[in-house]
Amino acid sequence: MSAPGALLAQPPVQSGGKGLAAQLTLALICGGYAVGAAFGWGSEQVALIMGDFGLCAAGLLAAVSCYHYARTNDSRERPAWLLFAFSSLMGAGGNAVWGWYEVVLGRPVPEPSVADFAFLCFAPPAIVGLLVLAKRPVTRAGWVCLALDSWLIGGSLLTLSWSLALAHTAQTAQSGAPGSVPRAALSLAYPLLDIALVSMVLVLHFRRSAGNRSAVNTAIAALALTVLSDALFTSPLLRASYQSGQLLDAGWFAGSLLLAYAPWGARRFHHVPQGAGRPRGARPVSRPITGSLPALTPYLAAAVCTLGILYNVVDGRKVDRVVVFTGCTVVLALVVRQGIMLLDNIALTQELAQQENHFRSLVQGSSDVIMIAAPSGTLRYVSPAAAGVYGREAEELVGSQLSALIHPDDLGRVVHEVRRFLAAPPAEEPTTRIECRFKSGSGEWLNVESTVNRHHGGLILNSRDVTERVRLQAQLQHSAEHDPLTDLPNRALFTRRVRQALTGRRAGDHSTAVLFIDLDGFKAVNDTIGHQAGDELLVEAARRLQDSVRAGDTAARLGGDEFAALIQGDGSRDRSAREYQVHEIADRLRTTLSQPYRIAGSEVRVAASIGVAFADPGITPSDLMRNADLAMYRAKAGGKDRVELYAPQMQAEVVRKAELAGRLRSALHDGEFALLHQPVVSLATGEITAVAAQARWRSTQGILFTPAEFLRVAEHNEGPDGPVAPAGPAAGAGGRTAELGRWLLEEAVTQAAERHRAGHDIPVSVRMTAERLLDRAMPHGSLEALLTRHGLPSGALVLELAVSDPRVPFDDLERRLAALRRLGVRIALDGFGSGYAAISALRRLPVDVLKLDRGLVEGVVESTRLHKITAGLLRIANDLGMQSVADGVDLPEQVTALRAMGCSHGQGMAFSGPLDEYRLRRALGRSTFPVPGGAAQPALAGGSLGGSLAIRRGSHNETPVPPT
């Protein structure tokens, strides 16, 4: 791995073009002033104007600039710039006074004057402003050291200045000459204030805050230039020959303009964040001399003080008391400062040792591995935890390359992340996190998560072993995408792979196919030999399916006994050849899955129905899977154990079923169903003994359809291939059948109760399947509550029970029927003689009435065999003491034949068709129908209830609405 610190460097921050232009303009103005002053400005009068009012204008400009900057910037530096503005204003006022005397009045400036007062007021605000800009000490010792450093520098400069010039000025003041004392005081005040200002400049240069450094440095340079010019002015050699407009004024002029430029010129530079200006992440350039100047300042000051004393001694002068006193105080300040520094260093050393012990304890006791990598990628430090985490001693890892320990497949990603991290600003992204595989001492690869920080151009890595977490995440991910029983991909993963096949590199390959597979007869396996055996069969079927598909294909379990397979396309453009190839693959899968299974020591057989759909252009994954599902249902409806290819008309059938289901839903909710009753007549007397409730749906054309007719159309296909199980929206027809059954039962009981209150004590029979009677969705006790609510007497309700499913639990059904019989509900076994295990139901269930299937009644006259079967069944009913009802008695010959066989009751068009409530009450008023001895006509045969009302089994004839 390449050196992390040299991966990416940040280009140096450049100032804008406007900032450079401003600097050049400032340099040209200052240079022009200096040239003019050097050559005397061409005349004495111009020199006086430029030397007085020119400096005044520059001072005013600096004052206005600093004041405006302070007003527009609300920060902790604001008071400093206000003080600088006041200081510049004082300097401008002094120069204005000089100009008034020299230019306007044309006479020398008196000593002392107002100008001297203004000049003396220049230094104190500037000193206080520098204090505001300085980094404030946080302890008392810091404040003491700041004061001592200021005195060390100021005292040393005072010693040197006193020895060179100030002593002579003081002696002149002592001579007693008129006016000598004020002049000497002024002469001493200027250098003393300059010394104080220089001291603050030097001290605060090393203590300035990290704020607007460019503006602060420029301001310090401006004040330093002004102080230097003041120092030259106060020297006896220059002061005696000084005149306004000379070259010395160029220093004051440049200092004022530089101070005016300081706050605004710094703004023209782009903000440089901490650490910028050098390659990001690179090792900072060390500057030992610059970094040592603050520590050397006291010694340099003492050296200057010593030079001042030596100058007097070497020159043969008597050592001045001021020099001695100042030197002693400087030495004393140095000793005190060194004592404070010594105590501070001792405290820092102890604190450092304590922190080092804490750090060592934390590092050595941490379960995470802490590593420090040099910019070259070499490990410089590894914590002892490496032995427990990596199985390698820390000493063994130190000096090795970090790249040699990272898995080759992860190395490129790690290097990319390190480069990106080092290129990011540290303030925005102080750390990053990297996961990779790390080589352990045993040679295996561990999953390691590392938190990475910058460290002197290199990296600090805080690493921990997350192998178990990664394994757990992989297991959870696998569990979320795979079936727990067969370990095949589940529906979610299969759908994602279908989407990838349709949108990936093979998006234009329309030879990709999806197979939906359903195991026919699997539910019977669960019901007969148990769910454990069913699970074993599913596992074996999944294994066969997985072994049968190609390596690039996907086999999945969608749920229950439904499987799927994604057959990747081969780029073939011949659709018919590809369909033939995929059909062969599907047929081979069907044969494989239909082979006998050895489960629990016995042989079990199931079949497989497979639907195939191809990826047509623009198809979505959900549509492709839906097409395969429809084809699979068509295969099941076509006889099962077969392969069916999807055709577009299958979707059209689904749409038609959905429309029919919507019509049925609207009919149920909008009250379009009507309840009719067909009389049940005694074959011996013609008396009406009961009425059978039947529901009809009233179409928009005023025609009534039977529910069986409508639901058969809604739930099944009328094509030549036979019925198709419901799919999609039509699949909810079973729920609507149950809703219709509830409506039928409640309406029949309600109308029967009204007839009983009107004096017609005729039982009503309602057909109900055994599955519906045992349905858990039907509230327990709802039938009992319905009878109680309407006050229907005992024996007034007959339930015609249809048992068509061999899996109905007879124990539960027997208990349910026994409870209903105790309430007076009579039980009729519907469809006797056809369907499932009628004899078994008759043997176990508490039945009162046997209702012969209409299929036996239709051919009882023509077929001798059917005549004997029907006669035998009727003898069973008579022997058991049960009533018998023949359903579908439509012809007089059937009445005669059934009565001769011993059938007690009949229901059919030979007597009456289904009647509405009005016509039913008319029939009940007559109470009997004529029983044909020969070719008899049924009662109420006229009008719309005549022979045109004949309803044949399985037909779709429409029954007109009876007149009211």
Side-chain angles (χ1 to χ4, degrees):
M1 186 172 67
S2 59
L7 294 176
L8 189 62
Q10 178 190 24
V13 179
Q14 301 291 342
S15 63
K18 293 183 178 180
L20 181 60
Q23 294 174 8
L24 291 176
T25 303
L26 179 64
L28 289 176
I29 294 175
C30 295
Y33 191 97
V35 170
F39 291 97
W41 297 104
S43 67
E44 183 179 355
Q45 186 66 20
V46 175
L48 291 177
I49 294 175
M50 294 302 298
D52 294 334
F53 291 111
L55 294 181
C56 178
L60 286 175
L61 179 63
V64 171
S65 175
C66 293
Y67 177 76
H68 184 60
Y69 179 78
R71 287 290 302 274
T72 56
N73 292 272
D74 188 10
S75 64
R76 68 175 297 270
E77 299 175 356
R78 181 178 180 180
W81 294 104
L82 289 174
L83 291 170
F84 291 156
F86 180 76
S87 179
S88 299
L89 184 63
M90 291 295 99
N95 285 300
V97 173
W98 273 64
W100 175 259
Y101 279 103
E102 290 186 339
V103 176
V104 178
L105 300 180
R107 58 188 179 87
V109 181
E111 294 185 10
S113 67
V114 179
D116 294 321
F117 174 78
F119 290 143
L120 289 176
C121 291
F122 173 84
I127 294 173
V128 178
L130 290 174
L131 284 174
V132 173
L133 291 178
K135 184 187 298 182
R136 295 183 179 89
V138 296
T139 62
R140 293 181 179 179
W143 284 105
V144 173
C145 287
L146 177 61
L148 292 176
D149 288 344
S150 301
W151 174 245
L152 284 172
I153 297 175
S156 300
L157 293 177
L158 177 60
T159 302
L160 187 60
S161 301
W162 190 272
S163 301
L164 293 176
L166 297 184
H168 176 74
T169 303
Q171 290 175 1
T172 302
Q174 293 175 357
S175 63
S180 61
V181 174
R183 286 194 296 271
L186 286 175
S187 301
L188 292 176
Y190 281 121
L192 291 178
L193 289 176
D194 289 340
I195 289 173
L197 189 57
V198 170
S199 301
M200 294 306 303
V201 168
L202 292 176
V203 171
L204 298 180
H205 174 70
F206 304 110
R207 292 177 176 268
R208 63 185 183 275
S209 62
N212 193 352
R213 284 178 177 260
S214 178
V216 172
N217 289 338
T218 306
I220 290 176
L223 293 175
L225 184 60
T226 303
V227 170
L228 178 61
S229 300
D230 286 345
L232 294 175
F233 173 75
T234 56
S235 64
L237 296 178
L238 291 180
R239 184 175 178 86
S241 60
Y242 170 77
Q243 290 183 356
S244 297
Q246 291 183 348
L247 188 60
L248 184 59
D249 290 348
W252 285 314
F253 183 82
S256 297
L257 289 187
L258 197 60
L259 185 60
Y261 170 79
W264 306 103
R267 277 186 162 189
R268 299 185 181 275
F269 291 89
H270 299 293
H271 176 66
V272 182
Q274 185 178 3
R278 68 172 190 271
R280 292 176 179 172
R283 182 188 299 273
V285 179
S286 61
R287 291 177 290 180
I289 296 178
T290 304
S292 304
L293 284 179
L296 294 176
T297 300
Y299 303 101
L300 293 176
V304 170
C305 182
T306 304
L307 289 176
I309 297 175
L310 290 177
Y311 174 80
N312 287 332
V313 174
V314 172
D315 198 29
R317 299 178 182 178
K318 180 181 178 181
V319 178
D320 194 276
R321 287 177 295 177
V322 175
V323 174
V324 173
F325 176 78
T326 305
C328 291
T329 55
V330 168
V331 173
L332 180 61
L334 181 61
V335 171
V336 173
R337 189 184 188 283
Q338 288 302 107
I340 294 175
M341 294 299 296
L342 179 61
L343 295 176
D344 193 24
N345 288 338
I346 293 175
L348 289 176
T349 303
Q350 293 176 350
E351 183 179 357
L352 181 61
Q354 185 178 8
Q355 291 180 354
E356 184 178 356
N357 291 333
H358 289 169
F359 172 75
R360 184 179 294 106
S361 300
L362 289 173
V363 171
Q364 293 180 353
S366 174
S367 59
D368 296 348
V369 180
I370 300 175
M371 300 182 293
I372 299 178
S376 62
T378 305
L379 292 177
R380 297 302 186 193
Y381 172 80
V382 180
S383 66
V389 176
Y390 299 147
R392 306 177 68 174
E393 295 297 333
E395 294 78 6
E396 179 185 351
L397 292 174
V398 172
S400 59
Q401 286 291 325
L402 190 59
S403 59
L405 304 174
I406 299 176
H407 195 283
D409 295 341
D410 299 339
L411 184 58
R413 175 174 54 83
V414 172
V415 171
H416 178 271
E417 175 62 20
V418 170
R419 288 177 176 173
R420 186 203 62 77
F421 170 65
L422 293 177
E428 296 180 5
E429 189 173 5
T431 63
T432 188
R433 182 169 296 179
I434 296 176
E435 287 194 21
C436 63
R437 285 167 289 182
F438 200 88
K439 191 173 185 179
S440 67
S442 60
E444 65 176 337
W445 295 100
L446 303 176
N447 293 97
V448 175
E449 180 186 69
S450 302
T451 301
V452 183
N453 295 269
R454 300 172 179 85
H455 177 68
H456 296 298
L459 300 173
I460 296 180
L461 299 96
N462 191 346
S463 307
R464 62 194 63 86
D465 182 9
V466 294
T467 303
E468 290 301 321
R469 190 194 72 186
V470 172
R471 289 176 182 172
L472 179 60
Q473 289 176 344
Q475 290 177 357
L476 293 176
Q477 183 70 17
H478 183 85
S479 299
E481 296 179 341
H482 290 77
D483 175 59
L485 178 64
T486 62
D487 202 40
L488 289 180
N490 58 15
R491 183 182 294 272
L493 180 57
F494 183 76
T495 304
R496 184 160 67 251
R497 292 188 178 177
V498 171
R499 182 178 296 106
Q500 292 172 354
L502 297 181
T503 59
R505 292 179 300 173
R506 295 186 173 184
D509 186 1
H510 306 306
S511 60
T512 298
V514 170
L515 279 60
F516 265 44
I517 306 163
D518 186 83
L519 299 182
D520 304 319
F522 173 74
K523 195 173 189 312
V525 175
N526 276 341
D527 295 336
T528 54
I529 60 177
H531 289 274
Q532 180 64 33
D535 290 344
E536 294 180 12
L537 189 149
L538 290 176
V539 172
E540 176 62 21
R543 186 191 61 79
R544 295 183 184 183
L545 179 61
Q546 185 68 44
D547 294 342
S548 300
V549 298
R550 300 172 303 179
D553 299 334
T554 300
R557 182 192 177 203
L558 305 183
D561 60 342
E562 290 189 356
F563 295 86
L566 172 64
I567 308 299
Q568 295 285 356
D570 58 358
S572 174
R573 296 184 178 272
D574 190 347
R575 180 64 178 265
S576 59
R578 180 58 176 168
E579 288 183 357
Y580 179 78
Q581 180 185 8
V582 174
H583 193 283
E584 280 192 337
I585 296 175
D587 197 61
R588 185 170 64 251
L589 287 176
R590 180 193 62 79
T591 303
T592 302
L593 295 174
S594 300
Q595 295 295 322
Y597 295 83
R598 195 71 181 174
I599 305 297
S602 59
E603 188 176 274
V604 179
R605 290 180 178 269
V606 294
S609 297
I610 302 178
V612 182
F614 285 91
D616 295 327
I619 195 170
T620 63
S622 59
D623 290 342
L624 179 59
M625 296 173 65
R626 180 206 61 197
N627 294 346
D629 194 19
L630 292 174
M632 183 267 291
Y633 275 112
R634 174 57 66 88
K636 292 178 70 68
K640 302 181 181 180
D641 193 17
R642 56 180 293 177
V643 177
E644 189 77 32
L645 295 180
Y646 170 77
Q649 58 266 28
M650 296 180 183
Q651 178 62 23
E653 292 174 0
V654 172
V655 174
R656 183 178 61 84
K657 292 174 186 177
E659 293 175 352
L660 293 176
R663 291 175 58 192
L664 176 58
R665 184 186 304 109
S666 300
L668 287 171
H669 292 168
D670 298 341
E672 297 180 4
F673 276 88
L675 184 64
L676 303 182
H677 294 84
Q678 188 172 26
V680 178
V681 180
S682 172
L683 296 183
T685 64
E687 181 182 3
I688 300 176
T689 59
V691 291
Q694 299 177 5
R696 296 291 186 271
W697 175 60
R698 190 187 307 272
S699 69
T700 54
Q701 292 81 16
I703 300 175
L704 294 179
F705 290 97
T706 65
E709 290 171 334
F710 184 82
L711 292 177
R712 182 166 57 251
V713 173
E715 296 180 11
H716 300 285
N717 178 29
E718 298 175 343
D721 295 334
V724 176
R736 288 183 286 276
T737 303
E739 185 178 353
L740 179 60
R742 288 192 296 270
W743 175 87
L744 174 63
L745 178 61
E746 184 158 357
E747 283 293 315
V749 171
T750 302
Q751 294 187 18
E754 293 177 355
R755 287 194 297 271
H756 274 273
R757 287 191 290 270
H760 301 292
D761 298 330
I762 298 298
V764 62
S765 63
V766 180
R767 189 176 186 274
M768 181 177 291
T769 63
E771 294 84 354
R772 171 62 184 155
L773 190 61
L774 296 177
D775 189 3
R776 294 182 179 180
M778 184 176 182
H780 183 70
S782 60
L783 183 57
E784 293 84 343
L786 180 64
L787 296 175
T788 303
R789 183 169 68 252
H790 292 282
L792 201 64
S794 177
L797 177 63
V798 180
L799 286 183
E800 296 180 0
L801 189 67
V803 183
S804 58
D805 193 339
R807 295 167 295 183
V808 172
F810 276 96
D811 294 337
D812 297 341
L813 184 58
E814 183 178 3
R815 287 191 295 270
R816 179 65 174 144
L817 293 178
L820 292 176
R821 288 191 69 192
R822 287 193 293 270
L823 294 176
V825 179
R826 302 176 64 196
I827 307 301
L829 186 60
D830 188 38
F832 188 69
S834 67
Y836 163 74
I839 300 300
S840 178
L842 184 62
R843 178 175 61 85
R844 299 192 57 181
L845 301 179
V847 178
D848 302 301
V849 180
L850 288 180
K851 193 168 185 179
L852 292 178
D853 184 78
R854 67 184 302 127
L856 298 176
V857 177
E858 285 179 348
V860 71
V861 178
E862 294 85 1
S863 174
T864 304
R865 179 183 294 273
L866 199 57
H867 186 282
K868 292 181 180 181
I869 294 174
T870 305
L873 295 177
L874 290 173
R875 281 195 299 271
I876 293 175
N878 291 331
D879 292 342
L880 294 176
M882 299 179 182
Q883 291 183 0
S884 55
V885 178
D887 188 16
V889 182
D890 298 333
L891 302 174
E893 294 84 357
Q894 295 172 347
V895 176
T896 303
L898 290 171
R899 184 174 54 192
M901 295 177 192
C903 183
S904 58
H905 296 78
Q907 172 186 340
M909 295 304 297
F911 303 102
S912 173
L915 305 174
D916 61 10
E917 187 65 20
Y918 172 78
R919 295 181 64 83
L920 175 62
R921 294 203 179 190
R922 285 181 54 191
L924 292 177
R926 297 181 56 178
S927 73
T928 59
F929 288 92
V931 178
Q937 294 295 326
L940 303 177
S944 62
L945 293 178
S948 63
L949 288 176
I951 300 178
R952 300 299 178 184
R953 181 177 182 269
S955 69
H956 296 290
N957 294 337
E958 297 178 347
T959 305
V961 180
T964 57

